[in-house]
Amino acid sequence: MDTVARIPNNSPISCIHTFRSQSPHFPTSSAAIRVGRGSWTPIRASTAEREEVLLAPPRKEDQQLKNGIAEFYDESSSLWENIWGDHMHHGFYDPDSTVSVSDHRAAQIRMIEESLRFASVSEERAKWPKRIVDVGCGIGGSSRYLAEKFGASSVGITLSPVQARRANALAAAQGLTHKVSFQVGDALEQPFPDGKFDLVWSMESGEHMPDKTKFVGELARVAAPGGTIIIVTWCHRDLGPDEQSLQPWEQDLLKKICDAYYLPAWCSAADYVKLLQSLSLQDIKSEDWSSFVAPFWPAVIRSALTWKGLTSLLSSGQKTIKGALAMPLMIEGYKKGLIKFAIITCRKPE
């Protein structure tokens, strides 16, 4: 028999019902919601009654997803690095600009700097972060950049053993092994003690998380008092006040993208804000940066159609090819206002 917990309608977790109804293709695994201060209980919000939650989620689907993500990046990371460099994320561009690969690499650094600026990370040396975690670190581009910028120590985690090895190799080649390190780790069960990091950095990894609530909870857990949390991620659009879910065509498009990129259900930036509010985090703010990343996907497609891009793609594996073929779907989602590129930041109370 299922175990049911009841939570008042005015509880901050009521947003989870909204999240699930927005994403009906979400796997059957449950979310983990904070129930009572300092505790976490895995639950699933009922679609019939907002007060009802179901405990004890299955884990098989989550493990299959993790395996798929790891294998996808094991295959594709060398292709990405070969063409785009060691920053495995969007660039920040002037809207409606036409860019080349060299422009893109500069724009990736700009994305990091703009994210720090939006989060109000201080430029005063005395207030720089000293300990940084890069959650979903890719091959470590952000970690190395941030460690050098702030003179900080940084550790990155990824599900991909190939990425972790390459990230450590690049750190060694750049003489940064005393500052940065990388390991295989799960963002939903981070191998770090509470309150360890002054800056918690998640650049385009949240979209891979099957349990958004547990993901946000882990970011908050490892943040030090007064620490900054930065989440940059793909989202779907916010729902209107009279909407209970996305339109059927929107759900269908997102499902095709999920199948190609090993993504679970999407959520909105508003959902992230509600989750952060439920944890009593401070200075929460978000912004839609879709127009600033719009030139990215056409640039990726152009690079894939070069001789270097085609030969690298064909040798990279079926998962990578499947992802490449889905790139026009991302562009379609952007143009139709369904897919949003969002930044969400906050601070942990002192």
Side-chain angles (χ1 to χ4, degrees):
M1 179 179 294
D2 292 329
T3 303
V4 173
R6 293 189 178 275
I7 297 173
N9 276 331
N10 62 0
S11 166
I13 72 158
S14 62
C15 64
I16 300 305
H17 170 85
T18 304
F19 167 70
R20 288 186 58 82
S21 66
Q22 288 170 6
S23 303
H25 54 285
F26 191 81
T28 55
S29 57
S30 305
I33 302 296
R34 185 175 177 176
V35 182
R37 189 167 299 278
S39 65
W40 289 89
T41 303
I43 70 170
R44 186 170 71 240
S46 169
T47 56
E49 182 183 358
R50 283 182 181 265
E51 292 184 336
E52 186 176 16
V53 292
L54 182 65
L55 305 183
R59 300 292 298 173
K60 182 178 179 181
E61 295 89 347
D62 288 354
Q63 189 57 52
Q64 290 174 340
L65 177 65
K66 290 175 187 177
N67 292 343
I69 294 168
E71 292 166 2
F72 177 76
Y73 285 109
D74 283 350
E75 280 190 7
S76 63
S77 293
S78 60
L79 167 65
W80 181 274
E81 182 185 2
N82 189 33
I83 297 176
W84 295 94
D86 62 344
H87 291 277
M88 299 185 66
H89 58 78
H90 288 66
F92 190 102
Y93 309 89
D94 294 326
D96 302 319
S97 60
T98 301
V99 297
S100 67
V101 171
S102 60
D103 295 327
H104 178 80
R105 292 181 179 179
Q108 289 174 310
I109 300 300
R110 185 180 174 188
M111 173 63 74
I112 295 174
E113 290 292 344
E114 292 288 345
S115 299
L116 295 170
R117 178 196 57 78
F118 183 82
S120 301
V121 175
S122 179
E123 292 291 337
E124 296 180 35
R125 181 180 292 271
K127 297 180 180 179
W128 283 356
K130 297 179 176 62
R131 300 176 305 276
I132 301 169
V133 63
D134 186 352
V135 181
C137 62
I139 56 175
S142 292
S143 292
R144 290 187 294 275
Y145 181 85
L146 293 168
E148 288 195 286
K149 176 181 176 67
F150 294 119
S153 64
S154 181
V155 58
I157 57 173
T158 172
L159 290 174
S160 166
V162 170
Q163 286 188 335
R165 286 195 298 269
R166 182 56 180 160
N168 281 315
L170 289 170
Q174 297 172 19
L176 291 174
T177 54
H178 64 297
K179 288 184 175 294
V180 298
S181 64
F182 304 93
Q183 63 192 75
V184 174
D186 185 352
L188 302 185
E189 298 177 6
Q190 294 186 38
F192 309 117
D194 296 356
K196 183 176 178 63
F197 301 104
D198 307 310
L199 176 58
V200 178
W201 179 268
S202 171
M203 177 61 71
E204 296 183 39
S205 62
E207 53 269 16
H208 284 296
M209 306 301 166
D211 190 332
K212 299 296 191 291
T213 309
K214 191 171 184 181
F215 168 58
V216 169
E218 279 291 270
L219 299 181
R221 181 184 67 79
V222 301
T228 298
I229 299 172
I230 299 177
I231 304 169
V232 183
T233 186
W234 306 346
C235 294
H236 66 60
R237 65 174 177 82
D238 292 342
L239 293 185
D242 297 326
E243 289 184 298
Q244 294 300 313
S245 65
L246 294 172
Q247 299 299 312
W249 72 265
E250 293 175 313
Q251 297 172 15
D252 291 342
L253 179 58
L254 288 183
K255 185 178 187 307
K256 291 175 183 177
I257 294 171
C258 288
D259 291 344
Y261 293 116
Y262 294 91
L263 304 177
W266 296 49
C267 69
S268 68
D271 291 318
Y272 272 111
V273 168
K274 290 175 183 177
L275 290 173
L276 295 170
Q277 289 172 338
S278 76
L279 299 176
S280 300
L281 296 167
Q282 298 177 346
D283 301 330
I284 301 169
K285 54 184 178 178
S286 68
E287 194 165 271
D288 179 6
W289 280 5
S290 301
S291 64
F292 298 115
V293 301
F296 172 81
W297 286 102
V300 171
I301 291 176
R302 287 196 300 271
S303 72
L305 296 177
T306 64
W307 176 251
K308 181 180 180 180
L310 286 170
T311 55
S312 298
L313 178 62
L314 292 174
S315 63
S316 61
Q318 291 184 348
K319 290 182 173 63
T320 307
I321 294 172
K322 183 178 179 181
L325 294 174
M327 287 189 290
L329 298 177
M330 290 294 297
I331 295 176
E332 179 184 353
Y334 274 126
K335 288 183 175 179
K336 292 182 176 180
L338 168 61
I339 294 176
K340 302 294 184 180
F341 188 87
I343 180 168
I344 309 101
T345 66
C346 63
R347 184 174 58 84
K348 191 170 181 176
E350 297 279 0

